[in-house]
Amino acid sequence: MSDPQHILEHVFGYDSFRGPQQAIIEALVRGDDALVIMPTGGGKSLCYQIPSLAREGCGVVISPLIALMQDQVDALKELGVRAGFLNSSLSSAEASATEQALLSGELDLLYIAPERLVQSRCQSLLQQAKLSLFAIDEAHCVSQWGHDFRSDYLQLSLLHELFPTVPRIALTATADARTQKEIAERLQLTEAEHFLGGFDRPNIQYRIQHKDKPRQQLLQFLRTEHPQHAGIVYCLSRKKVEQTAEWLSKEGFTALPYHAGLPATLKQTHQRRFLREESVIIVATIAFGMGIDKPDVRFVVHLDLPKSVEAYYQETGRAGRDGDAATALLLYGLEDVVKLGQMLGNSDGNDVFKRHERQRLDAMLGLCEITSCRRQVLLRYFGEQSSPCGNCDNCISPAETWDGTDASRKLLSCIYRTGQRYGANHVIEVLRGSSNEKVMQAGHSAISTYGIGKELSNNEWRSVVRQLVAQGLIDVNADAFGALQLNDSCRALLRGEQTLQLRRDKQITASASPAKRVQSNIDEQDMPLWHDLRACRKRLADEHQVPPYVVFHDATLIEMVQKRPTTKQAMLTITGVGDSKLERFGKDFIDVILEHEYRQLEGTSL
Ligand code: ADP
Ligand code: ZN
């Protein structure tokens, strides 16, 4: 058995464990089971990869993400790990070669699709092999409540019965307490040690703005902050995904659509291009993202409101896994609340389920409208306490507030006077004294609240509505086309027993938030070296048929620029350079650095 620290340094090229990694690895090496809840990008893979290498035998990883297995295995092979996979994409000759390798002890890690694992043929294969552990990745797929449910996952409890001495680790980024309990019960992991934590992703800058002119907002964001970067843009509907991708392409970006309605081959091509090429933007529904471990995603934009804080955290977590600065931008409007409410109303599921989902949506809405640190609220949601972060919109540029008591009361009484049957647009028209047809026909120019709110603009009124909805003072009735209705809790305000501070909407732009960018770590005179190292990486990646980040992450190249290692020994001290990669790629990068050193010497002696 090898020592985990030694494996961390020599195989992966990292010098220290992150968060709970070490404790998890030690538990498995001892032979105990573990249930791991860690955010996306938290470093879950090492938690089973290192024990697989440290223990005798082969580690079996169960993952529903067939399309990604090849890439995962390729990346491990570059690290010198003997890895393979078994799924329906293999020919029978390829599959039996892998099976043979397993039986003769030539594999460290084997990825298997759940539908294969539940077959008796596969089980008897595994029974003949020496196994070090089972890792059940994306373990929330066992939950019947979630949208990722896979029926094959239910049968994974048989692992415990068939292989009682092989330790098991289940991993997920879904932190919801109910899902967690369900995973533990269904996978027979109630006795397992639970590891929870490390939820903060300090390099991600969270920003939430109201949707004013979303396309313009997005364009400005991309052009000023992320012109050449890879990123994900999430939309609610398939149609909007397609339209947005098409429009971004016209604006000169490489933007590819991805949703469950596209042909499988197209989805695969787009996913592959996103992983392999640099600066590709994927425009997607939530169908995209699970298991995508591209480390250099620099931004995640939501053009529609996610349906819960958890979904938001999971989706934004796909940005900046390499630890470099990344941005999460959410644009939301009142119409999102209506749309999500309607979808919820039309969904299958009993009342308890719907009430639960409604609460989750309300919590998301609350996050959008708060004036304090966003990260604090996010982390509190996952049970972690923290101080204001300095890297969210509210910290960077503290929200201005104003006394909205009067305005709120006007709004509430106008909703009441118009019969609680109208949406925000109409109510605002009445408040502002509009003489449009709908207002006139409804006879609303004659009521007492007509024209009493001319002092605020349409947008300002919409902001008041959103905030009162977020505070639960009014409800949006999704069954009645988004009609605004009074909630009992607004009484105190109506009676004048309560005052209300509201936040003022504003747009935060790049100039207000000079997010630390990758290149800002590199001095101007080092740029030629940086570009040459990147070119070297691209050439090697193409030769090995892997994405550039599988050769080395940006952070590794930046460290090379700063430290200029010119010997193998010095190269090995760079984060992300382990024995295997040193062997494969070390010389090429050292040559690039030497070349620059010589040129510099020549330059100074002239
Ligand atoms: P998750 O599966 O939890 O979403 P990953 O396992 O893909 O996250 O890890 C995210 C990134 O962090 C990867 O690029 C990985 O190489 C890196 N990483 C993980 N653990 C460490 C560590 N101890 N030191 C440095 N980098 C790490
Ligand atoms: Zn903050």
Side-chain angles (χ1 to χ4, degrees):
M1 239 194 252
S2 337
D3 162 45
Q5 179 69 33
H6 187 266
I7 297 172
L8 180 74
E9 286 169 23
H10 288 267
V11 177
F12 295 92
Y14 299 141
D15 34 67
S16 54
F17 288 109
R18 262 194 208 157
Q21 277 176 338
Q22 188 167 5
I24 297 166
I25 290 166
E26 279 169 6
L28 282 156
V29 169
R30 268 201 309 273
D32 292 343
D33 297 334
L35 174 57
V36 173
I37 323 277
M38 248 198 237
T40 314
K44 288 190 284 299
S45 325
L46 285 193
C47 297
Y48 56 83
Q49 287 168 345
I50 290 185
S52 292
L53 296 172
R55 285 173 64 89
E56 219 185 303
C58 176
V60 176
V61 185
I62 298 131
S63 162
L65 307 160
I66 294 179
L68 297 172
M69 282 186 188
Q70 178 79 61
D71 283 354
Q72 285 169 325
V73 164
D74 286 348
L76 284 166
K77 284 183 176 164
E78 296 296 340
L79 292 168
V81 175
R82 302 173 304 168
F85 66 89
L86 287 175
N87 66 33
S88 51
S89 74
L90 291 181
S91 69
S92 57
E94 288 168 323
S96 65
T98 303
E99 291 175 8
Q100 215 41 56
L102 170 71
L103 293 177
S104 49
E106 287 158 21
L107 279 186
D108 302 314
L109 271 164
L110 176 63
Y111 286 74
I112 298 187
E115 57 271 22
R116 185 171 280 248
L117 191 89
V118 297
Q119 295 166 4
S120 54
R121 190 179 166 280
C122 182
Q123 288 161 16
S124 60
L125 171 78
L126 294 180
Q127 273 169 328
Q128 294 163 52
K130 177 106 191 101
L131 302 182
S132 57
L133 59 81
F134 283 105
I136 302 165
D137 206 4
E138 313 291 351
H140 62 280
C141 290
V142 80
S143 161
Q144 277 163 316
W145 293 99
H147 54 77
D148 293 325
F149 174 63
R150 317 257 165 154
S151 55
D152 291 323
Y153 262 67
L154 287 179
Q155 293 189 50
L156 294 180
S157 60
L158 59 79
L159 292 177
H160 177 54
E161 286 129 40
L162 290 177
F163 305 90
T165 57
V166 181
R168 294 168 303 142
I169 170 172
L171 311 103
T172 180
T174 305
D176 180 74
R178 193 182 54 176
T179 313
Q180 221 172 297
K181 192 159 161 275
E182 223 182 328
I183 295 172
E185 282 165 9
R186 291 187 196 274
L187 296 178
Q188 306 214 15
L189 285 169
T190 42
E191 306 280 296
E193 202 172 333
H194 289 29
F195 296 92
L196 197 88
F199 277 96
D200 191 14
R201 301 286 311 283
N203 59 315
I204 300 180
Q205 183 176 93
Y206 297 101
R207 290 180 359 213
I208 303 181
Q209 296 172 0
H210 75 281
K211 223 186 272 190
D212 186 9
K213 298 189 179 74
R215 285 196 169 183
Q216 231 167 304
Q217 288 168 283
L218 176 60
L219 208 56
Q220 184 184 355
F221 171 74
L222 295 177
R223 290 218 168 116
T224 57
E225 299 185 51
H226 295 285
Q228 299 290 327
H229 292 158
I232 308 175
V233 176
Y234 282 111
C235 306
L236 197 57
S237 74
R238 296 175 182 187
K239 191 163 143 219
K240 186 163 169 186
V241 162
E242 289 177 15
Q243 288 169 343
T244 307
E246 197 182 309
W247 164 74
L248 279 176
S249 303
K250 281 204 193 104
E251 294 291 339
F253 295 92
T254 311
L256 307 172
Y258 190 105
H259 61 68
L262 293 176
T265 48
L266 193 66
K267 278 193 293 190
Q268 224 167 353
T269 312
H270 288 178
Q271 179 171 303
R272 204 173 168 76
R273 286 190 60 190
F274 180 63
L275 295 177
R276 295 282 160 115
E277 295 173 24
E278 294 179 86
S279 28
V280 171
I281 298 174
I282 280 273
V283 185
T285 58
I286 51 166
F288 180 79
M290 190 176 40
I292 298 281
D293 50 7
K294 183 177 167 63
D296 53 355
V297 175
R298 296 266 68 85
F299 62 87
V300 170
V301 174
H302 283 89
L303 289 182
D304 296 301
L305 189 68
K307 65 187 175 89
S308 66
V309 174
E310 277 196 293
Y312 172 73
Y313 208 60
Q314 199 156 343
E315 284 148 23
T316 55
R318 292 173 185 139
R321 285 175 184 228
D322 53 11
D324 283 322
T327 321
L329 174 66
L330 161 60
L331 301 178
Y332 99 105
L334 198 58
E335 60 279 11
D336 291 339
V337 182
V338 177
K339 232 185 290 170
L340 284 176
Q342 277 167 343
M343 283 171 65
L344 188 61
N346 295 334
S347 69
D348 315 329
N350 56 26
D351 286 350
V352 181
F353 171 74
K354 286 183 183 174
R355 193 158 7 103
H356 199 90
E357 291 294 296
R358 178 79 229 173
Q359 285 165 358
R360 307 212 306 166
L361 179 56
D362 288 345
M364 184 65 223
L365 206 55
L367 174 68
C368 291
E369 292 296 351
I370 52 155
T371 50
S372 57
C373 173
R374 309 258 191 217
R375 193 181 313 268
Q376 253 181 328
V377 175
L378 282 167
L379 292 177
R380 206 179 307 137
Y381 193 81
F382 297 111
E384 283 182 22
Q385 296 296 326
S386 61
S387 35
C389 74
N391 194 24
C392 71
D393 50 2
N394 286 345
C395 281
I396 292 165
S397 167
E400 282 172 36
T401 57
W402 57 290
D403 184 346
T405 313
D406 228 29
S408 305
R409 294 179 63 186
K410 287 178 181 175
L411 175 68
L412 292 172
S413 54
C414 193
I415 292 170
Y416 183 72
R417 298 279 167 212
T418 51
Q420 311 193 54
R421 286 188 289 124
Y422 294 89
N425 288 338
H426 183 80
V427 174
I428 292 169
E429 294 284 347
V430 175
L431 279 168
R432 304 194 65 232
S434 153
S435 50
N436 80 15
E437 209 178 332
K438 195 172 166 193
V439 173
M440 299 323 257
Q441 268 177 4
H444 287 160
S445 60
I447 61 176
S448 60
T449 53
Y450 181 73
I452 59 168
K454 288 182 179 158
E455 72 280 14
L456 296 186
S457 70
N458 184 42
N459 270 342
E460 284 166 331
W461 274 118
R462 296 187 70 82
S463 167
V464 176
V465 174
R466 282 200 320 270
Q467 296 185 63
L468 295 203
V469 172
Q471 299 204 14
L473 295 167
I474 53 183
D475 298 322
V476 182
N477 187 339
D479 295 332
F481 306 104
L484 300 181
Q485 297 175 339
L486 303 188
N487 185 294
D488 278 351
S489 57
C490 77
R491 289 222 187 101
L493 187 64
L494 266 181
R495 281 199 227 105
E497 293 161 10
Q498 186 193 340
T499 61
L500 200 62
Q501 289 292 312
L502 295 178
R503 71 179 274 152
R504 211 180 282 290
D505 278 341
K506 69 179 160 204
Q507 307 289 353
I508 303 220
T509 54
S511 56
S513 62
K516 183 173 121 263
R517 292 288 161 244
V518 175
Q519 267 87 336
S520 68
N521 293 328
I522 301 170
D523 294 340
E524 192 56 40
Q525 77 263 22
D526 288 335
M527 284 315 257
L529 174 57
W530 164 248
H531 288 301
D532 286 351
L533 289 172
R534 278 170 62 98
C536 175
R537 172 174 72 174
K538 180 81 179 111
R539 178 173 59 73
L540 292 169
D542 290 345
E543 271 172 37
H544 287 242
Q545 297 184 9
V546 293
Y549 61 77
V550 167
V551 175
F552 287 129
H553 286 182
D554 281 352
T556 301
L557 297 195
I558 291 172
E559 215 178 307
M560 286 187 198
V561 169
Q562 290 161 346
K563 296 193 180 151
R564 306 208 171 202
T566 52
T567 63
K568 284 194 158 189
Q569 228 164 3
M571 195 52 124
L572 206 49
T573 67
I574 305 284
T575 306
V577 184
D579 294 351
S580 164
K581 287 193 176 173
L582 178 69
E583 205 50 51
R584 278 162 216 242
F585 308 128
K587 184 167 181 316
D588 291 82
F589 287 93
I590 288 175
D591 283 349
V592 172
I593 294 166
L594 281 175
E595 172 72 29
H596 274 260
E597 303 273 274
Y598 291 143
R599 254 190 267 160
Q600 231 165 20
L601 278 178
E602 281 168 9
T604 48
S605 62
L606 277 177

